Amino acid sequence: MAKIKPSKGAPYARILGVGGYRPTRVVPNEVILETIDSSDEWIRSRSGIQTRHWANDEETVAAMSIEASGKAIADAGISAEQIGGVIVSTVSHFKQTPAVATEIADKLGTNKAAAFDISAGCAGFGYGLTLAKGMIVEGSAEYVLVIGVERLSDLTDLEDRATAFLFGDGAGAVVVGPAQEPAIGPTVWGSEGDKSETIKQTVPWTDYRSGEVARFPAITQEGQAVFRWAVFEMAKVAKEALDAAGITADDLDVFIPHQANERIIDSMVKTLKLPESVMVARDVRTTGNTSAASIPLAMERLLATGEAKSGDTALVIGFGAGLVYAATVVTLP
């Protein structure tokens, strides 16, 4: 019986570069209040959100991804031709097929990189990062581009008081490449499908096509149930990720949770007992909830402002529709 030759990948993988793109239109809470009965004070106290970005017609999922990816590739100091894989996490690309990743890979100028989309909601960046790490260590690619991108304004019901103020648009990207020492820890991930009704699309596309419903599908959620799950269950997952990486909260420099809601972030910080020295990402205030894009966008902003620096140890955790989650410890590029 023939033996399969073992793969020759890198011993480890790391994030080498990061880039982000936020649409040019900035939307304050006052615009949201035109269609819901609420107040700026209520929105800020419940979510921390002051503004969000909404895409125009030219700022498509592909266009935003290409902008963010170009920055990440330049930050990593490599060329697009060296990219061997493109992974795109999104729930707001409205073509079922082909994957938007193939268009992005081509327009960036990669050399026929493997390209595919994944749908893991707000945990999508963590899922993509884990897949990229595996590709590099396994040897099927030397560099992998991981993109989180959303146009959630297309899936927002502006008359839904519970969600109208939450969502924004944007794209975040990282380049993952080879490393000689661990820089992306073990991933703690999973799903709780019995809670899938807590965050969901209002109706299937087929109901809209057939005329059974007149309103375009949107994202809806059970706010209190999601809040409780995120605060109590995701703090446990974050602790498991720290344990898997062999560190404690005291060893952290940065905490980059999914930018869902500032109250959730504050509660997780308290439950994890993070030291005051740990920089906590709060990009949600001006970017809103951008689902799969939120972690790389928050990472990019922290590095750009100097609030975090290259080599810092960061805990990242994403959680959302499914319900799905993914957490890991990384060394910042």
Side-chain angles (χ1 to χ4, degrees), residues 162-163 166 198-199 220-230 261 263-264:
T163 61
L166 285 176
T198 56
I199 307 174
T220 187
Q221 69 175 30
E222 298 174 15
Q224 287 302 314
V226 173
F227 182 88
R228 289 192 297 270
W229 177 78
N261 179 309
R263 289 176 63 205
I264 292 175

Side-chain angles (χ1 to χ4, degrees), residues 97-302:
T97 191
V100 72
T102 58
E103 177 186 351
I104 295 166
D106 176 63
K107 289 185 175 178
L108 284 172
T110 69
N111 185 21
K112 299 181 180 180
F116 57 95
D117 299 350
I118 59 175
S119 177
C122 306
F125 175 74
Y127 275 51
L129 187 65
T130 303
L131 295 173
K133 172 186 174 183
M135 291 166 71
I136 290 159
V137 174
E138 186 271 338
S140 59
E142 185 176 11
Y143 299 99
V144 178
L145 184 63
V146 179
I147 304 165
V149 57
E150 301 292 2
R151 273 183 55 121
L152 294 181
S153 57
D154 292 333
L155 287 168
T156 299
D157 181 351
L158 294 178
E159 296 179 0
D160 180 356
R161 189 173 184 272
T163 61
F165 60 91
L166 285 176
F167 302 120
D169 304 336
V174 299
V175 172
V176 183
Q180 294 304 309
E181 59 183 29
I184 300 175
T187 300
V188 178
W189 56 353
S191 65
E192 297 186 30
D194 61 314
K195 300 180 180 65
S196 61
E197 292 295 303
T198 56
I199 307 174
K200 63 181 182 179
Q201 185 171 303
T202 49
V203 295
W205 297 112
T206 49
D207 286 2
Y208 182 73
R209 182 184 64 183
S210 66
E212 290 183 44
V213 294
R215 188 182 288 268
F216 193 75
I219 297 173
T220 187
Q221 69 175 30
E222 298 174 15
Q224 287 302 314
V226 173
F227 182 88
R228 289 192 297 270
W229 177 78
V231 168
F232 297 108
E233 297 303 320
M234 291 305 98
K236 297 176 186 176
V237 171
K239 179 62 169 59
E240 288 178 31
L242 291 174
D243 292 342
I247 67 172
T248 68
D250 292 335
D251 298 314
L252 283 177
D253 300 303
V254 185
F255 179 44
I256 311 178
H258 164 49
Q259 302 293 291
N261 179 309
E262 193 166 33
R263 289 176 63 205
I264 292 175
I265 294 171
D266 288 340
S267 295
M268 291 183 70
V269 168
K270 183 177 180 180
T271 302
L272 289 169
K273 299 179 180 179
L274 296 185
E276 291 186 6
S277 60
V278 175
M279 173 55 61
V280 179
R282 300 183 185 279
D283 195 44
V284 67
R285 293 173 178 171
T286 55
T287 306
N289 179 342
T290 56
S291 189
S294 80
I295 290 175
L297 278 174
M299 183 184 295
E300 184 258 355
R301 173 161 282 172
L302 288 175

